[in-house]
Amino acid sequence: MGECGAAADVNSNVLLSAGTGDAQLDKAVWQWLSWDKNQKTKEQIQELLRAGQLQELRARLCQRLKFGTAGLRAPMGAGFSRINDLTIIQATQGIYRYLEQRCPGLRLRGFVVGYDTRGQEASDCSSLKLARLTAAVLLAKEVPVHLFSTYVPTPFVPYAVQQLGAAAGVMITASHNRKEDNGYKVYLANGAQLSSPQEKEILRCMEQSLEPWAGSWHQHLVDCSPLRQDPLGAICRSYMQGLSRLCWHRELNQRCQLRFVHSSFHGVGHHYVQEAFRAFGFVPPIPVPEQQDPDPNFSTLSCPNPEEGESVLELSLRLAEKEGAKVVVATDPDADRLAVAEQQEDGSWKVFSGNELAALFGWWLYSCWRQRAPPGASPANLCMLATTVSSKILRAIAQQEGFHFEETLPGFKWVGNRAHELLGMGMEVLFAFEESIGFMCGTLVLDKDGVSAAAVLAEMASFLHAQGLSLAQKLSQVYERYGYHLSRTSYFLCYDPGTTEGIFERLRNFGCPQTYPGSCGAFGILHLRDLSRGYDSSQPAGTAVLPTSGSSQMLTFTFANGAVATLRASGTEPKIKLYAELCAQP
C-alpha cells in the first residue's frame, strides 16, 4: 500500500473510532470508508465527518438510489444516494444476481455497456470510468461484455441488446440533466427499459450485494479479458442500414435544396446524426462548431436541455441565419431526444413543442404507411402510443383514420415495453412519443431516439418544401383536419421531496380529509384521476385503468369545458411538472 493509501486508512480508523452518536449513520460511514476505493469520494466523506456535517452525511449515506422514469439518476459524488464508482458496482452486482437467477444463458448471451461523455473531476467520476467498472463486475463473473470503445447515443444500447441477442444492457448517462448528474439506464433482453416489477426485484438483489465482490474493482479486465468485445463498428453499420426502413423519398432527399443546422449540445450526437442524414441521402447538416464536440461542463449552455427552447438554441439559430438554413435540429447530450426550430416567412423562429412535433410525425408516418400499403388496405393492425401526459392528437388521428391508439404511464420504460407486447400480438407500431421531445419512429429501437427522429424530420421537411409548404403550415393543416390541440407544459423547481409530497397531499385533502378539489378558479372539475392511489372518478368502480405507481405523484384533472391538466412530480429531476391541453373538434 502506498503512503497516501496508508495515511487515508489511518485517517479513516481515527474518524470511525470517534463515532457520530447515530448507530445507523456510524454503520453507513463504516461501510463507505471500508468499501470505497476511489480516493476522492472517500475523502469527501472523511471531510464531512471531520466537519461534523451529520445532516449531509445522513442524506448521502442513509438513503439509496432508486429507479425513476429513466433508471438510476443522481448527482455525482460520494455517498450511497449518489452516482459514483461504488454505487455503480453495487447496481451492477444486483443486476448480475438478478440475471443469474432469471437468465440461464447469461454467459452465452452477454451484456451490452454504453456511455456518454459526462464527468466530474472532483469525484474522479466519468461515464467512461463507470462503464468500465460495470464491465469489470461482469467480466469478473465470466460474463461476455459488449463494451463500446467510444461514446454512443443512448438508443444504440437497446438496439445492440436486440441485435446481439444480449441478456441485458446498461447505458451510463443522465441525458439532458444538469452537468452535476449522471445515471444508469438498464435495458432487458426485449430492448426496452426495466419496468416497475423488475426494478423492485433488482433493488432487492442490490440490497443483497452491497459489499463489492473480489474482482469488481478490476478495471484492467476491460483491457485484457477475451470476454470483452467492441460492438461499435458492427452496430453502427447495422443501425444506419436499419434506418432505410424509415426512408421513403431518397431521390427527393438527394436533390433537397433545404439546408439544416444541427447542434449536439456538447454531447454524443454529432457523428451519428451526420451519418443518419447520409443514410437518408441528404447532405449532412451544418454543425454548430461551439457545441459539436463533447464537453462535460456544457460550457456554452445555461442548461443542456433542448426542451428549454429558444434560449438554449441561440447559437444554432444565429448560425442558421448566417448559413441560410431554414430548419434547426438539436439532439440532447445523449442523443435520445430531438428539438426542432423553423424560420418563418417574417424571419422569426418557431420552436416546436414536443406535442406539435408529434402531430407532424404522426401525420407523416401514417401517410408514408398509406403510400406503401396496397390499395384498400386496412390500418386496423397499426398502432401509435403516447404517454398519458402528452397531447391527445394521435388519438384524434387514430379515430379518423381507423388505427389503434394507446396511452401509457409517463416514461419510455412503459412505452417501450407496451410496444414490445403489441409487436408480439402481430401489431405494427408506427410511432410513439412523450411530450418532452422524445420520439420513437417505427420499432428500430424500442426507446426514444433523437438520431432516427432527426433523419425522419429532415425527410418530412424536404418533402413539404418540395410542395411549397413549411412544417408550421403543415401543422396547421393537421390541426384543421384532426382538431386543434392547444397544449401548455411548464414546471416548478422543488429540491425538497417533503415539500413536493406536501403539495400533493394537500390536493388529496382539499378542505377536508380525502376530498379532492371540485373546481379551479371559475372552472369546474368533472373528473379526477390519482394514479398514485389507483383512483379515477371517471371509471364506474372508481379504479384507474392505467397502472398504479405509489412511488410517484401524479394527479389529472378533467374540466367541464374539456380541458385536461396533470400535475406530476418528475422521476428524473427536482421538478413538479404541469401539463395542460384543450382539444377541439376537427
Side-chain angles (χ1 to χ4, degrees):
M1 183 183 294
E3 289 183 11
C4 291
D9 283 348
V10 169
N11 215 357
S12 297
N13 291 333
V14 171
L15 291 168
L16 285 170
S17 64
T20 66
D22 180 330
Q24 182 190 13
L25 180 57
D26 284 344
K27 179 182 178 182
V29 169
W30 178 87
Q31 288 176 331
W32 186 269
L33 296 179
S34 300
W35 296 343
D36 188 17
K37 292 189 178 182
N38 179 320
Q39 202 56 44
K40 288 192 175 181
T41 46
K42 181 179 280 192
E43 287 171 358
Q44 288 175 20
I45 296 300
Q46 290 171 336
E47 182 55 39
L48 290 170
L49 203 53
R50 274 191 294 268
Q53 298 288 321
L54 301 188
Q55 186 173 347
E56 180 68 13
L57 282 167
R58 289 189 188 96
R60 287 177 179 243
L61 295 173
C62 296
Q63 302 174 43
R64 297 201 181 277
L65 294 171
K66 294 182 179 178
F67 285 98
T69 52
L72 304 173
R73 200 173 288 183
M76 289 177 277
F80 294 120
S81 63
R82 298 202 168 196
I83 296 290
N84 50 65
D85 296 0
L86 180 54
T87 54
I88 291 303
I89 285 173
Q90 291 175 328
T92 307
Q93 290 181 169
I95 288 169
Y96 168 78
R97 187 182 287 269
Y98 172 84
L99 292 173
E100 188 182 35
Q101 297 167 2
R102 296 301 191 98
C103 182
L106 174 60
R107 286 182 175 81
L108 293 174
R109 301 175 67 179
F111 195 98
V112 176
V113 181
Y115 52 94
D116 66 10
T117 55
R118 286 176 176 262
Q120 184 183 84
E121 189 175 345
S123 300
D124 187 21
C125 183
S126 69
S127 294
L128 171 58
K129 184 183 181 187
L130 299 178
R132 287 172 63 87
L133 286 167
T134 299
V137 171
L138 297 160
L139 291 168
K141 292 293 183 180
E142 299 183 339
V143 176
V145 174
H146 306 279
L147 172 65
F148 286 96
S149 56
T150 189
Y151 52 81
V152 292
T154 288
F156 271 41
V157 170
Y159 179 77
V161 167
Q162 287 193 298
Q163 288 296 305
L164 299 171
V170 158
M171 176 71 185
I172 307 294
T173 182
S175 190
H176 58 280
N177 277 39
R178 58 185 193 149
K179 67 180 181 180
E180 291 82 5
D181 293 351
N182 215 327
Y184 187 89
K185 204 169 187 179
V186 184
Y187 298 88
L188 292 185
N190 65 358
Q193 293 179 52
L194 288 179
S195 59
S196 288
Q198 298 155 338
E199 290 169 352
K200 291 173 183 175
E201 288 187 53
I202 288 175
L203 284 174
R204 280 197 294 271
C205 290
M206 287 168 60
E207 289 290 337
Q208 298 165 7
S209 315
L210 294 177
E211 184 171 358
W213 300 329
S216 289
W217 287 97
H218 294 172
Q219 283 190 65
H220 70 273
L221 290 173
V222 171
D223 303 313
C224 64
S225 173
L227 293 175
R228 184 266 168 121
Q229 299 176 50
D230 175 15
L232 180 66
I235 290 301
C236 196
R237 285 191 298 273
S238 174
Y239 175 90
M240 295 302 166
Q241 290 168 2
L243 282 182
S244 63
R245 295 191 303 229
L246 296 170
C247 178
W248 299 104
H249 301 279
R250 185 179 307 278
E251 290 185 6
L252 183 61
N253 299 342
Q254 291 170 338
R255 303 193 305 271
C256 178
Q257 298 301 307
L258 200 60
R259 304 189 78 194
F260 300 88
V261 159
H262 170 241
S263 171
S264 52
F265 266 47
H266 295 297
V268 306
H270 168 68
H271 168 74
Y272 303 99
V273 171
Q274 296 270 308
E275 288 303 308
F277 268 62
R278 289 191 183 97
F280 267 56
F282 286 109
V283 172
I286 304 163
V288 178
E290 301 92 335
Q291 298 172 340
Q292 173 178 325
D293 297 324
D295 173 8
N297 292 315
F298 306 113
S299 301
T300 68
L301 295 163
S302 58
C303 167
N305 184 357
E307 193 183 356
E308 294 291 328
E310 196 162 344
S311 63
V312 292
L313 294 173
E314 182 71 21
L315 288 174
S316 303
L317 303 183
R318 300 296 81 82
L319 178 62
E321 290 168 354
K322 177 184 174 184
E323 296 287 347
K326 296 297 184 183
V327 178
V328 165
V329 292
T331 46
D332 67 342
D334 69 325
D336 68 346
R337 302 196 308 158
L338 180 75
V340 179
E342 180 185 57
Q343 191 171 39
Q344 305 304 291
E345 290 181 358
D346 64 359
S348 66
W349 287 90
K350 175 175 175 55
V351 180
F352 294 89
S353 71
N355 287 331
E356 290 173 331
L357 289 173
L360 288 166
F361 277 122
W363 158 76
W364 174 252
L365 291 166
Y366 176 74
S367 298
C368 290
W369 176 86
R370 177 55 71 191
Q371 177 187 334
R372 75 177 191 267
S378 170
N381 203 46
L382 304 179
C383 183
M384 293 191 189
L385 300 166
T387 61
T388 189
V389 296
S390 301
S391 172
K392 313 303 178 191
I393 184 63
L394 296 187
R395 180 179 66 187
I397 298 174
Q399 287 171 346
Q400 272 206 45
E401 303 298 348
F403 61 83
H404 184 63
F405 169 76
E406 285 190 20
E407 282 189 339
T408 73
L409 287 177
F412 253 85
K413 66 182 182 183
W414 300 100
V415 175
N417 279 290
R418 183 54 183 158
H420 182 261
E421 291 172 357
L422 290 166
L423 290 172
M425 295 160 56
M427 302 284 284
E428 181 180 354
V429 181
L430 284 183
F431 177 62
F433 88 104
E434 60 184 2
E435 54 73 37
S436 52
I437 58 173
F439 310 107
M440 186 182 94
C441 299
T443 52
L444 181 70
V445 177
L446 294 182
D447 199 5
K448 55 183 179 285
D449 181 355
V451 178
S452 62
V456 172
L457 185 285
E459 181 169 76
M460 185 201 316
S462 169
F463 178 86
L464 291 172
H465 182 71
Q467 294 186 330
L469 288 171
S470 68
L471 292 167
Q473 289 168 334
K474 187 62 195 183
L475 179 63
S476 293
Q477 290 183 1
V478 171
Y479 283 152
E480 287 288 339
R481 178 174 173 81
Y482 299 109
Y484 277 85
H485 286 59
L486 310 179
S487 61
R488 175 73 58 87
T489 60
S490 187
Y491 62 84
F492 306 92
L493 290 169
C494 185
Y495 294 96
D496 177 23
T499 299
T500 298
E501 185 176 353
I503 290 170
F504 283 89
E505 284 305 309
R506 189 171 77 88
L507 289 168
R508 295 187 179 102
N509 299 278
F510 204 77
C512 55
Q514 298 183 2
T515 302
Y516 296 97
S519 63
C520 180
F523 299 96
I525 295 171
L526 187 63
H527 296 298
L528 188 135
R529 183 180 65 189
D530 184 350
L531 288 179
S532 307
R533 301 289 186 268
Y535 172 71
D536 187 343
S537 67
S538 70
Q539 297 301 313
T543 302
V545 175
L546 286 173
T548 299
S549 178
S551 62
S552 60
Q553 303 281 2
M554 186 164 71
L555 293 172
T556 299
F557 304 86
T558 300
F559 291 86
N561 66 356
V564 178
T566 295
L567 199 64
R568 168 181 167 259
S570 171
T572 58
E573 300 169 280
K575 292 178 179 178
I576 300 174
K577 292 189 170 184
L578 171 67
Y579 314 82
E581 184 171 47
L582 185 61
C583 307
Q585 293 299 311

